[in-house]
Amino acid sequence: MRKTVGIIFADSMEYLPFQKSAAEKGAKEGTLRGLNSTSYTVKSDNNELDIVAVECGIGKVNAAFAAAVLITESKADIILNAGLSGAISKVKREDIVVGTSYMQCDLDLTAIGYKLAEKPDGEEYIHPADEGLVELTKQIGSFHYGKLGTGDIFLTDKSKKELYKELFSLSAFDMETGAIASVCRKCGVPFLSVRKISDDADDASGEDYREMNDRAEACLTEILEKLTEKICETM
């Protein structure tokens, strides 16, 4: 059996460790609709899993575009994402969080009678992670599991953090996962995100995030590699 996994990184320093590791596997470098990309194949018994990773840029629009391109042009059967996130509740800096659901917290139609993040006409706005992918992560390591929230803001406002905690019971906040999850749900493509906590979503967040981002650590790449190997073994 042969399938394709698309992997989305927002930031160049998040993408770099994966790119370096993939190069050691003989990966092909290129571009995909203007996005930096790297691709290679994982094999297990009679299965082959084509990996196509892209660097999309920060934010929901960039993330949604990358997901759509991977699904429509690379024919991705599964979408994965990894990156840094701010802590909201029950996690701390350096923790790894596997998202169990994803939502766009900054969608605000409260002025016309909707709840924060709620969409008109009954459109789903909380997107569950693929259960099979969540289960596979339990076979490769010990992680935190929780709800991820998304917005086109770098969260430093403590009052907004507390609001998101109270309303949505989030574990962490980022700028991409809710958008990717929405595209994947509409296309019927399984999705999972794994995030490392870089900061506490407070007034020190900018400095803490930059410090961790500049490390260009390989831990998320290592998790993705183990996960794609498991996917290949079990598909």
Side-chain angles (χ1 to χ4, degrees):
M1 181 180 293
R2 190 173 196 128
K3 289 187 176 182
T4 299
V5 169
I7 302 179
I8 299 172
F9 298 93
D11 183 87
S12 60
M13 298 301 279
E14 296 167 345
Y15 177 65
L16 182 61
F18 189 90
Q19 184 183 35
K20 287 182 176 179
S21 182
E24 296 173 359
K25 300 177 178 64
K28 180 181 178 181
E29 297 291 327
T31 59
L32 185 61
R33 289 291 180 180
L35 306 177
N36 291 330
S37 68
T38 186
S39 57
Y40 63 94
T41 300
V42 176
K43 297 181 180 180
S44 176
D45 296 328
N46 295 321
N47 296 332
E48 293 190 7
L49 191 66
D50 294 324
I51 310 297
V52 183
V54 297
E55 175 195 349
C56 71
I58 293 171
K60 294 189 299 184
V61 172
N62 286 332
F65 174 71
V69 167
L70 286 169
I71 292 168
T72 59
E73 300 203 10
S74 296
K75 307 303 180 186
D77 300 288
I78 295 168
I79 297 290
L80 303 177
N81 163 255
L84 303 181
S85 290
I88 300 295
S89 66
K90 299 180 181 179
V91 292
K92 62 184 186 301
R93 198 165 188 255
E94 305 284 349
D95 285 346
I96 302 293
V97 183
V98 174
T100 56
S101 68
Y102 315 93
M103 65 184 303
Q104 300 175 64
C105 299
D106 62 344
L107 181 68
D108 189 349
L109 298 178
T110 56
I112 54 173
Y114 292 92
K115 299 176 183 177
L116 187 65
E118 186 179 15
K119 296 182 179 181
D121 303 320
E123 182 181 349
E124 296 289 347
Y125 62 96
I126 301 174
H127 309 292
D130 181 79
E131 293 182 1
L133 294 174
V134 172
E135 288 302 312
L136 285 183
T137 66
K138 297 176 182 178
Q139 300 179 29
I140 63 171
S142 178
F143 310 114
H144 294 267
Y145 293 84
K147 301 174 182 178
L148 302 185
T150 297
D152 272 330
I153 53 173
F154 188 92
L155 187 58
T156 60
D157 185 329
K158 289 183 179 179
S159 62
K160 189 166 286 186
K161 172 181 174 176
E162 288 302 312
L163 177 65
Y164 291 162
K165 177 182 176 181
E166 179 182 349
L167 290 181
F168 308 129
S169 301
L170 300 180
S171 289
F173 185 88
D174 63 75
M175 298 179 69
E176 292 85 28
T177 61
I180 300 170
S182 180
V183 172
C184 288
R185 187 171 191 169
K186 286 179 169 62
C187 294
V189 174
F191 171 63
L192 184 78
S193 180
V194 181
R195 312 290 294 198
K196 183 168 185 177
I197 301 300
S198 60
D199 58 85
D200 288 324
D202 57 18
D203 52 12
S205 291
E207 183 177 347
D208 289 344
Y209 166 81
R210 284 190 293 268
E211 186 273 330
M212 185 176 288
N213 194 49
D214 288 346
R215 295 184 208 163
E217 296 176 302
C219 59
L220 291 173
T221 288
E222 292 166 0
I223 292 168
L224 289 173
E225 289 176 340
K226 290 178 182 178
L227 181 56
T228 51
E229 287 172 4
K230 279 291 181 185
I231 291 169
C232 189
E233 291 171 6
T234 58
M235 69 188 195

